Amino acid sequence: METQITPSNEGIIRAAQLIRDGQLVAFPTETVYGLGANAKDAEACRRIYEAKGRPPDNPLIVHIPHRDDLSGLMRGAMNNQAERLLKAFWPGPLTVVVPCGGHISSVALGGLDTVAVRCPSHPVAQKLLQLSGCPIAAPSANRSGKPSPTTAEDVYEDMNGRIPLILDGGPASVGVESTVVDLSHEIPILLRPGAVTHQQLEHFLGPVTLADDSTPARSPGMKYRHYAPRAPVQWWDTDDVDQALTRWQSLAMPRERYGLLASEEIGRALGPALFYNLGDNDGAAAQNLFAGLRTLDRERPAAIIVVWKQSTPLGAAIANRLAKAAAPNPTGDDNE
Ligand code: TXA
Ligand code: MG
């Protein structure tokens, strides 16, 4: 199959037709690029798992154009607090898990009786949802286990030959995937940190539990390897230039063989052969993280070193992705 990259304004009509025909389309959202299919069409959803190489028990996020469309997908009703949360953050980088009550393919749900729903704010995602006329199941448009794509070129790298169309809407503005909060329990559970922070969730919902890897299979995706480029990743949790320099000078292999993802200041002090600027604040770091990992990885370094320390609540999302990207993978389980 030939994969076309088209500027989103030119390709959107064809994209909507492809979705209605049960085909896959990669499209931009404000968080990362998604790989979309009609969420009601089992065969179309199966194609997503195949193109990504994703295990069938890891459910997909279902995207809707408007907040009001949620009631048609869920069993029961939102309480007032959750209503206010969605009023504040939808459309935007927030996904809620609720009891499923709509006609979503069980393939998209990975066999669960809950559904994860998101209303994206990106104008191209909005337009595609409106023109397609169906909810769109869309995981991040990377091959399973790889960093999520934040540009159309990153999608092409992973999906060339596997899907007919990539809508190019430029680089994603947030850069890390949406916050996922499970509202199907008495006390909500934060399954994945994102641009909507734990503090913001608690402001609306009251206490919100943090899921960790010991929370048994809360989010099926949590048990799989994530965000990992080919090269092993080391995360140095510091923003201190001297500390970073000392570690850099005591590296085991010749320094030219390492890729460095860090602020410009640290880059200047360490003087690596291979460098990508992560930026000097958490907002920039979120935008640059996945692009940096992918860009450095193309140069085939022996390892990628990320020097970064959290300074704001948004940083929790970056720390979460970095910890997973740097996690050892002794079982060779290279799935998402
Ligand atoms: O920002 C985003 O959310 C992007 C864009 C494209 O919207 N999408 C995305 O999807 O990141 P994906 O499939 O890469 O990540 C979805 C996560 C997975 O960890 C999955 O296990 C979890 O959400 N998930 C989906 N449905 C769930 C459910 N019913 N219960 C618990 N977790 C669920
Ligand atoms: Mg993903």
Side-chain angles (χ1 to χ4, degrees):
M1 182 186 302
E2 202 190 321
T3 302
Q4 261 183 27
I5 304 187
T6 312
S8 41
N9 54 338
E10 288 170 26
I12 192 113
I13 303 275
R14 179 165 165 242
Q17 189 60 50
L18 284 166
I19 296 282
R20 283 195 298 269
D21 289 345
Q23 302 300 317
L24 305 186
V25 173
F27 63 97
T29 85
E30 67 278 19
T31 56
V32 300
Y33 275 68
L35 181 60
N38 180 350
K40 298 182 171 185
D41 181 337
E43 200 43 53
C45 292
R46 233 172 255 128
R47 290 201 165 99
I48 291 183
Y49 289 86
E50 198 182 306
K52 278 183 66 85
R54 181 171 173 130
D57 69 347
N58 191 2
L60 311 175
I61 293 178
V62 175
H63 296 68
I64 54 175
H66 197 270
R67 188 156 35 94
D68 298 341
D69 299 316
L70 176 62
S71 58
L73 295 185
M74 73 177 284
R75 187 158 34 83
M78 285 281 171
N79 63 31
N80 289 338
Q81 293 155 301
E83 284 280 359
R84 281 199 294 273
L85 175 78
L86 293 185
K87 263 197 189 126
F89 292 109
W90 271 10
L94 173 67
T95 297
V96 293
V97 173
V98 295
C100 184
H103 298 286
I104 298 297
S105 163
S106 61
V107 177
L109 302 178
L112 299 181
D113 59 1
T114 53
V115 60
V117 186
R118 174 157 115 81
C119 176
S121 65
H122 195 291
V124 175
Q126 275 286 331
K127 189 102 190 267
L128 183 64
L129 284 161
Q130 277 154 20
L131 292 175
S132 306
C134 59
I136 294 181
S140 49
N142 51 288
R143 284 284 287 172
S144 205
K146 295 283 156 214
S148 294
T150 54
T151 65
E153 291 73 31
D154 290 349
V155 178
Y156 188 81
E157 180 175 59
D158 282 19
M159 291 296 155
N160 182 22
R162 300 176 187 276
I163 62 173
L165 183 64
I166 301 168
L167 289 178
D168 186 352
S173 59
V174 176
V176 292
E177 307 86 343
S178 61
T179 303
V180 180
V181 62
D182 187 347
L183 300 179
S184 71
H185 301 267
E186 178 121 351
I187 299 192
I189 304 167
L190 175 54
L191 295 176
R192 182 174 70 184
V196 176
T197 65
H198 190 207
Q199 289 89 330
Q200 287 172 318
L201 293 175
E202 290 201 320
H203 174 79
F204 288 90
L205 301 175
V208 173
T209 311
L210 281 174
D212 55 35
D213 292 341
S214 65
T215 321
R218 286 295 190 199
S219 188
M222 287 171 71
K223 67 176 185 272
Y224 294 113
R225 179 163 159 82
H226 268 293
Y227 313 121
R230 272 179 300 247
V233 175
Q234 282 183 39
W235 172 22
W236 297 355
D237 185 3
T238 180
D239 54 8
D240 184 277
V241 179
D242 294 332
Q243 221 175 66
L245 189 59
T246 308
R247 276 186 87 167
W248 179 251
Q249 285 165 344
S250 58
L251 279 170
M253 274 181 282
R255 292 199 279 275
E256 317 75 80
R257 301 197 47 208
Y258 293 91
L260 180 69
L261 181 56
S263 69
E264 208 172 346
E265 189 192 8
I266 290 191
R268 232 181 289 121
L270 274 53
L274 200 56
F275 177 69
Y276 194 98
N277 187 357
L278 190 56
D280 62 1
N281 61 74
D282 286 352
Q287 275 176 347
N288 294 324
L289 175 66
F290 290 141
L293 290 175
R294 281 179 176 267
T295 305
L296 291 172
D297 204 34
R298 283 181 201 123
E299 305 298 324
R300 304 278 176 157
I304 296 174
I305 293 168
V306 187
V307 185
W308 173 83
K309 189 181 174 62
Q310 178 176 351
S311 59
T312 66
L314 167 65
I318 303 168
N320 168 270
R321 309 310 190 270
L322 267 178
K324 292 187 180 186
N329 187 25
T331 59
D333 180 8
D334 193 29
N335 286 313
E336 180 176 13

PDB file of all heavy atoms in Angstrom, residues 132-161:
ATOM      1  N   SER A 132     -16.710  12.866   9.127  1.00  0.00           N
ATOM      2  CA  SER A 132     -16.854  11.403   9.107  1.00  0.00           C
ATOM      3  C   SER A 132     -18.213  10.981   9.642  1.00  0.00           C
ATOM      4  O   SER A 132     -18.758   9.955   9.234  1.00  0.00           O
ATOM      5  CB  SER A 132     -15.762  10.735   9.950  1.00  0.00           C
ATOM      6  OG  SER A 132     -14.498  11.156   9.538  1.00  0.00           O
ATOM      7  N   GLY A 133     -18.729  11.719  10.593  1.00  0.00           N
ATOM      8  CA  GLY A 133     -20.042  11.403  11.139  1.00  0.00           C
ATOM      9  C   GLY A 133     -20.067  10.186  12.041  1.00  0.00           C
ATOM     10  O   GLY A 133     -21.124   9.605  12.273  1.00  0.00           O
ATOM     11  N   CYS A 134     -18.913   9.770  12.546  1.00  0.00           N
ATOM     12  CA  CYS A 134     -18.879   8.635  13.472  1.00  0.00           C
ATOM     13  C   CYS A 134     -17.800   8.901  14.523  1.00  0.00           C
ATOM     14  O   CYS A 134     -16.880   9.680  14.275  1.00  0.00           O
ATOM     15  CB  CYS A 134     -18.566   7.329  12.727  1.00  0.00           C
ATOM     16  SG  CYS A 134     -16.986   7.354  11.856  1.00  0.00           S
ATOM     17  N   PRO A 135     -17.920   8.264  15.702  1.00  0.00           N
ATOM     18  CA  PRO A 135     -16.814   8.365  16.654  1.00  0.00           C
ATOM     19  C   PRO A 135     -15.573   7.688  16.062  1.00  0.00           C
ATOM     20  O   PRO A 135     -15.696   6.683  15.354  1.00  0.00           O
ATOM     21  CB  PRO A 135     -17.322   7.609  17.886  1.00  0.00           C
ATOM     22  CG  PRO A 135     -18.480   6.800  17.428  1.00  0.00           C
ATOM     23  CD  PRO A 135     -19.028   7.427  16.193  1.00  0.00           C
ATOM     24  N   ILE A 136     -14.408   8.266  16.315  1.00  0.00           N
ATOM     25  CA  ILE A 136     -13.178   7.726  15.718  1.00  0.00           C
ATOM     26  C   ILE A 136     -12.277   7.154  16.811  1.00  0.00           C
ATOM     27  O   ILE A 136     -11.876   7.865  17.741  1.00  0.00           O
ATOM     28  CB  ILE A 136     -12.437   8.817  14.909  1.00  0.00           C
ATOM     29  CG1 ILE A 136     -13.282   9.219  13.687  1.00  0.00           C
ATOM     30  CG2 ILE A 136     -11.065   8.320  14.471  1.00  0.00           C
ATOM     31  CD1 ILE A 136     -12.622  10.273  12.798  1.00  0.00           C
ATOM     32  N   ALA A 137     -12.010   5.858  16.718  1.00  0.00           N
ATOM     33  CA  ALA A 137     -11.047   5.213  17.617  1.00  0.00           C
ATOM     34  C   ALA A 137      -9.657   5.569  17.122  1.00  0.00           C
ATOM     35  O   ALA A 137      -9.362   5.406  15.942  1.00  0.00           O
ATOM     36  CB  ALA A 137     -11.241   3.695  17.598  1.00  0.00           C
ATOM     37  N   ALA A 138      -8.815   6.101  18.003  1.00  0.00           N
ATOM     38  CA  ALA A 138      -7.480   6.510  17.558  1.00  0.00           C
ATOM     39  C   ALA A 138      -6.443   6.421  18.675  1.00  0.00           C
ATOM     40  O   ALA A 138      -6.439   7.252  19.581  1.00  0.00           O
ATOM     41  CB  ALA A 138      -7.504   7.933  17.006  1.00  0.00           C
ATOM     42  N   PRO A 139      -5.573   5.422  18.594  1.00  0.00           N
ATOM     43  CA  PRO A 139      -4.402   5.426  19.459  1.00  0.00           C
ATOM     44  C   PRO A 139      -3.357   6.346  18.837  1.00  0.00           C
ATOM     45  O   PRO A 139      -3.560   6.858  17.726  1.00  0.00           O
ATOM     46  CB  PRO A 139      -3.929   3.977  19.400  1.00  0.00           C
ATOM     47  CG  PRO A 139      -4.322   3.533  18.021  1.00  0.00           C
ATOM     48  CD  PRO A 139      -5.593   4.288  17.685  1.00  0.00           C
ATOM     49  N   SER A 140      -2.266   6.572  19.529  1.00  0.00           N
ATOM     50  CA  SER A 140      -1.157   7.315  18.935  1.00  0.00           C
ATOM     51  C   SER A 140      -0.675   6.549  17.699  1.00  0.00           C
ATOM     52  O   SER A 140      -0.684   5.318  17.672  1.00  0.00           O
ATOM     53  CB  SER A 140      -0.042   7.473  19.953  1.00  0.00           C
ATOM     54  OG  SER A 140       0.266   6.224  20.560  1.00  0.00           O
ATOM     55  N   ALA A 141      -0.244   7.294  16.662  1.00  0.00           N
ATOM     56  CA  ALA A 141       0.003   6.689  15.343  1.00  0.00           C
ATOM     57  C   ALA A 141       1.428   6.144  15.179  1.00  0.00           C
ATOM     58  O   ALA A 141       1.992   6.169  14.096  1.00  0.00           O
ATOM     59  CB  ALA A 141      -0.301   7.714  14.252  1.00  0.00           C
ATOM     60  N   ASN A 142       1.999   5.644  16.279  1.00  0.00           N
ATOM     61  CA  ASN A 142       3.326   5.021  16.235  1.00  0.00           C
ATOM     62  C   ASN A 142       3.192   3.504  16.154  1.00  0.00           C
ATOM     63  O   ASN A 142       2.148   2.955  16.517  1.00  0.00           O
ATOM     64  CB  ASN A 142       4.096   5.377  17.506  1.00  0.00           C
ATOM     65  CG  ASN A 142       3.270   5.092  18.757  1.00  0.00           C
ATOM     66  OD1 ASN A 142       2.319   5.808  19.044  1.00  0.00           O
ATOM     67  ND2 ASN A 142       3.596   4.024  19.459  1.00  0.00           N
ATOM     68  N   ARG A 143       4.249   2.821  15.720  1.00  0.00           N
ATOM     69  CA  ARG A 143       4.296   1.373  15.905  1.00  0.00           C
ATOM     70  C   ARG A 143       4.372   1.113  17.406  1.00  0.00           C
ATOM     71  O   ARG A 143       4.992   1.867  18.168  1.00  0.00           O
ATOM     72  CB  ARG A 143       5.543   0.784  15.217  1.00  0.00           C
ATOM     73  CG  ARG A 143       5.422   0.688  13.702  1.00  0.00           C
ATOM     74  CD  ARG A 143       4.534  -0.463  13.241  1.00  0.00           C
ATOM     75  NE  ARG A 143       5.155  -1.762  13.417  1.00  0.00           N
ATOM     76  CZ  ARG A 143       4.512  -2.922  13.230  1.00  0.00           C
ATOM     77  NH1 ARG A 143       3.225  -2.941  12.878  1.00  0.00           N
ATOM     78  NH2 ARG A 143       5.148  -4.054  13.389  1.00  0.00           N
ATOM     79  N   SER A 144       3.746   0.055  17.839  1.00  0.00           N
ATOM     80  CA  SER A 144       3.664  -0.261  19.247  1.00  0.00           C
ATOM     81  C   SER A 144       5.056  -0.265  19.897  1.00  0.00           C
ATOM     82  O   SER A 144       5.994  -0.843  19.359  1.00  0.00           O
ATOM     83  CB  SER A 144       3.036  -1.641  19.367  1.00  0.00           C
ATOM     84  OG  SER A 144       2.424  -1.777  20.591  1.00  0.00           O
ATOM     85  N   GLY A 145       5.167   0.411  21.054  1.00  0.00           N
ATOM     86  CA  GLY A 145       6.432   0.436  21.785  1.00  0.00           C
ATOM     87  C   GLY A 145       7.305   1.633  21.472  1.00  0.00           C
ATOM     88  O   GLY A 145       8.187   1.979  22.245  1.00  0.00           O
ATOM     89  N   LYS A 146       7.081   2.278  20.339  1.00  0.00           N
ATOM     90  CA  LYS A 146       7.914   3.419  19.920  1.00  0.00           C
ATOM     91  C   LYS A 146       7.392   4.724  20.537  1.00  0.00           C
ATOM     92  O   LYS A 146       6.251   4.786  20.976  1.00  0.00           O
ATOM     93  CB  LYS A 146       7.874   3.553  18.386  1.00  0.00           C
ATOM     94  CG  LYS A 146       8.499   2.385  17.660  1.00  0.00           C
ATOM     95  CD  LYS A 146      10.003   2.499  17.715  1.00  0.00           C
ATOM     96  CE  LYS A 146      10.653   1.144  17.551  1.00  0.00           C
ATOM     97  NZ  LYS A 146      11.883   1.004  18.333  1.00  0.00           N
ATOM     98  N   PRO A 147       8.218   5.780  20.511  1.00  0.00           N
ATOM     99  CA  PRO A 147       7.709   7.079  20.966  1.00  0.00           C
ATOM    100  C   PRO A 147       6.535   7.519  20.095  1.00  0.00           C
ATOM    101  O   PRO A 147       6.515   7.253  18.897  1.00  0.00           O
ATOM    102  CB  PRO A 147       8.902   8.022  20.765  1.00  0.00           C
ATOM    103  CG  PRO A 147      10.108   7.146  20.696  1.00  0.00           C
ATOM    104  CD  PRO A 147       9.639   5.856  20.092  1.00  0.00           C
ATOM    105  N   SER A 148       5.571   8.218  20.693  1.00  0.00           N
ATOM    106  CA  SER A 148       4.427   8.712  19.923  1.00  0.00           C
ATOM    107  C   SER A 148       4.883   9.741  18.896  1.00  0.00           C
ATOM    108  O   SER A 148       5.842  10.464  19.123  1.00  0.00           O
ATOM    109  CB  SER A 148       3.402   9.347  20.860  1.00  0.00           C
ATOM    110  OG  SER A 148       2.849   8.368  21.691  1.00  0.00           O
ATOM    111  N   PRO A 149       4.200   9.811  17.743  1.00  0.00           N
ATOM    112  CA  PRO A 149       4.595  10.767  16.705  1.00  0.00           C
ATOM    113  C   PRO A 149       4.008  12.150  16.944  1.00  0.00           C
ATOM    114  O   PRO A 149       2.826  12.290  17.245  1.00  0.00           O
ATOM    115  CB  PRO A 149       4.008  10.153  15.430  1.00  0.00           C
ATOM    116  CG  PRO A 149       2.866   9.314  15.893  1.00  0.00           C
ATOM    117  CD  PRO A 149       3.088   8.938  17.327  1.00  0.00           C
ATOM    118  N   THR A 150       4.828  13.181  16.793  1.00  0.00           N
ATOM    119  CA  THR A 150       4.345  14.551  16.946  1.00  0.00           C
ATOM    120  C   THR A 150       4.398  15.325  15.623  1.00  0.00           C
ATOM    121  O   THR A 150       4.065  16.502  15.591  1.00  0.00           O
ATOM    122  CB  THR A 150       5.162  15.299  18.022  1.00  0.00           C
ATOM    123  OG1 THR A 150       6.549  15.205  17.689  1.00  0.00           O
ATOM    124  CG2 THR A 150       4.949  14.684  19.395  1.00  0.00           C
ATOM    125  N   THR A 151       4.847  14.665  14.553  1.00  0.00           N
ATOM    126  CA  THR A 151       4.802  15.275  13.213  1.00  0.00           C
ATOM    127  C   THR A 151       4.334  14.221  12.212  1.00  0.00           C
ATOM    128  O   THR A 151       4.392  13.009  12.492  1.00  0.00           O
ATOM    129  CB  THR A 151       6.196  15.756  12.735  1.00  0.00           C
ATOM    130  OG1 THR A 151       7.045  14.611  12.568  1.00  0.00           O
ATOM    131  CG2 THR A 151       6.836  16.725  13.709  1.00  0.00           C
ATOM    132  N   ALA A 152       3.910  14.696  11.025  1.00  0.00           N
ATOM    133  CA  ALA A 152       3.476  13.772   9.970  1.00  0.00           C
ATOM    134  C   ALA A 152       4.654  12.889   9.522  1.00  0.00           C
ATOM    135  O   ALA A 152       4.465  11.709   9.200  1.00  0.00           O
ATOM    136  CB  ALA A 152       2.921  14.566   8.790  1.00  0.00           C
ATOM    137  N   GLU A 153       5.861  13.440   9.526  1.00  0.00           N
ATOM    138  CA  GLU A 153       7.040  12.665   9.118  1.00  0.00           C
ATOM    139  C   GLU A 153       7.302  11.514  10.097  1.00  0.00           C
ATOM    140  O   GLU A 153       7.698  10.425   9.684  1.00  0.00           O
ATOM    141  CB  GLU A 153       8.294  13.559   9.042  1.00  0.00           C
ATOM    142  CG  GLU A 153       8.278  14.584   7.919  1.00  0.00           C
ATOM    143  CD  GLU A 153       7.320  15.748   8.168  1.00  0.00           C
ATOM    144  OE1 GLU A 153       7.110  16.116   9.350  1.00  0.00           O
ATOM    145  OE2 GLU A 153       6.760  16.274   7.183  1.00  0.00           O
ATOM    146  N   ASP A 154       7.099  11.769  11.379  1.00  0.00           N
ATOM    147  CA  ASP A 154       7.267  10.701  12.375  1.00  0.00           C
ATOM    148  C   ASP A 154       6.255   9.581  12.129  1.00  0.00           C
ATOM    149  O   ASP A 154       6.570   8.394  12.272  1.00  0.00           O
ATOM    150  CB  ASP A 154       7.073  11.242  13.798  1.00  0.00           C
ATOM    151  CG  ASP A 154       8.210  12.159  14.231  1.00  0.00           C
ATOM    152  OD1 ASP A 154       9.238  12.222  13.535  1.00  0.00           O
ATOM    153  OD2 ASP A 154       8.055  12.822  15.274  1.00  0.00           O
ATOM    154  N   VAL A 155       5.031   9.952  11.773  1.00  0.00           N
ATOM    155  CA  VAL A 155       4.021   8.932  11.472  1.00  0.00           C
ATOM    156  C   VAL A 155       4.480   8.123  10.259  1.00  0.00           C
ATOM    157  O   VAL A 155       4.422   6.884  10.261  1.00  0.00           O
ATOM    158  CB  VAL A 155       2.641   9.562  11.160  1.00  0.00           C
ATOM    159  CG1 VAL A 155       1.634   8.474  10.795  1.00  0.00           C
ATOM    160  CG2 VAL A 155       2.137  10.379  12.340  1.00  0.00           C
ATOM    161  N   TYR A 156       4.966   8.832   9.244  1.00  0.00           N
ATOM    162  CA  TYR A 156       5.394   8.163   8.009  1.00  0.00           C
ATOM    163  C   TYR A 156       6.494   7.138   8.296  1.00  0.00           C
ATOM    164  O   TYR A 156       6.487   6.031   7.761  1.00  0.00           O
ATOM    165  CB  TYR A 156       5.893   9.221   7.013  1.00  0.00           C
ATOM    166  CG  TYR A 156       6.185   8.673   5.629  1.00  0.00           C
ATOM    167  CD1 TYR A 156       5.147   8.464   4.725  1.00  0.00           C
ATOM    168  CD2 TYR A 156       7.485   8.355   5.245  1.00  0.00           C
ATOM    169  CE1 TYR A 156       5.399   7.956   3.456  1.00  0.00           C
ATOM    170  CE2 TYR A 156       7.747   7.852   3.980  1.00  0.00           C
ATOM    171  CZ  TYR A 156       6.700   7.661   3.088  1.00  0.00           C
ATOM    172  OH  TYR A 156       6.948   7.152   1.843  1.00  0.00           O
ATOM    173  N   GLU A 157       7.416   7.511   9.174  1.00  0.00           N
ATOM    174  CA  GLU A 157       8.521   6.614   9.528  1.00  0.00           C
ATOM    175  C   GLU A 157       7.982   5.262  10.025  1.00  0.00           C
ATOM    176  O   GLU A 157       8.520   4.204   9.704  1.00  0.00           O
ATOM    177  CB  GLU A 157       9.368   7.285  10.615  1.00  0.00           C
ATOM    178  CG  GLU A 157      10.554   6.481  11.105  1.00  0.00           C
ATOM    179  CD  GLU A 157      11.395   7.283  12.101  1.00  0.00           C
ATOM    180  OE1 GLU A 157      10.860   7.701  13.156  1.00  0.00           O
ATOM    181  OE2 GLU A 157      12.580   7.499  11.814  1.00  0.00           O
ATOM    182  N   ASP A 158       6.916   5.293  10.809  1.00  0.00           N
ATOM    183  CA  ASP A 158       6.375   4.058  11.397  1.00  0.00           C
ATOM    184  C   ASP A 158       5.304   3.400  10.525  1.00  0.00           C
ATOM    185  O   ASP A 158       5.125   2.185  10.574  1.00  0.00           O
ATOM    186  CB  ASP A 158       5.739   4.353  12.767  1.00  0.00           C
ATOM    187  CG  ASP A 158       6.772   4.501  13.879  1.00  0.00           C
ATOM    188  OD1 ASP A 158       7.955   4.732  13.556  1.00  0.00           O
ATOM    189  OD2 ASP A 158       6.388   4.405  15.059  1.00  0.00           O
ATOM    190  N   MET A 159       4.559   4.185   9.761  1.00  0.00           N
ATOM    191  CA  MET A 159       3.352   3.663   9.106  1.00  0.00           C
ATOM    192  C   MET A 159       3.453   3.570   7.585  1.00  0.00           C
ATOM    193  O   MET A 159       2.485   3.150   6.943  1.00  0.00           O
ATOM    194  CB  MET A 159       2.136   4.548   9.463  1.00  0.00           C
ATOM    195  CG  MET A 159       1.726   4.436  10.912  1.00  0.00           C
ATOM    196  SD  MET A 159       1.171   2.754  11.287  1.00  0.00           S
ATOM    197  CE  MET A 159       1.503   2.701  13.053  1.00  0.00           C
ATOM    198  N   ASN A 160       4.585   3.953   7.017  1.00  0.00           N
ATOM    199  CA  ASN A 160       4.741   3.875   5.561  1.00  0.00           C
ATOM    200  C   ASN A 160       4.422   2.465   5.052  1.00  0.00           C
ATOM    201  O   ASN A 160       4.983   1.488   5.540  1.00  0.00           O
ATOM    202  CB  ASN A 160       6.175   4.257   5.171  1.00  0.00           C
ATOM    203  CG  ASN A 160       6.374   4.240   3.673  1.00  0.00           C
ATOM    204  OD1 ASN A 160       5.417   4.339   2.908  1.00  0.00           O
ATOM    205  ND2 ASN A 160       7.625   4.108   3.243  1.00  0.00           N
ATOM    206  N   GLY A 161       3.511   2.388   4.099  1.00  0.00           N
ATOM    207  CA  GLY A 161       3.131   1.103   3.524  1.00  0.00           C
ATOM    208  C   GLY A 161       2.015   0.397   4.277  1.00  0.00           C
ATOM    209  O   GLY A 161       1.496  -0.622   3.831  1.00  0.00           O
TER     210      GLY A 161
END
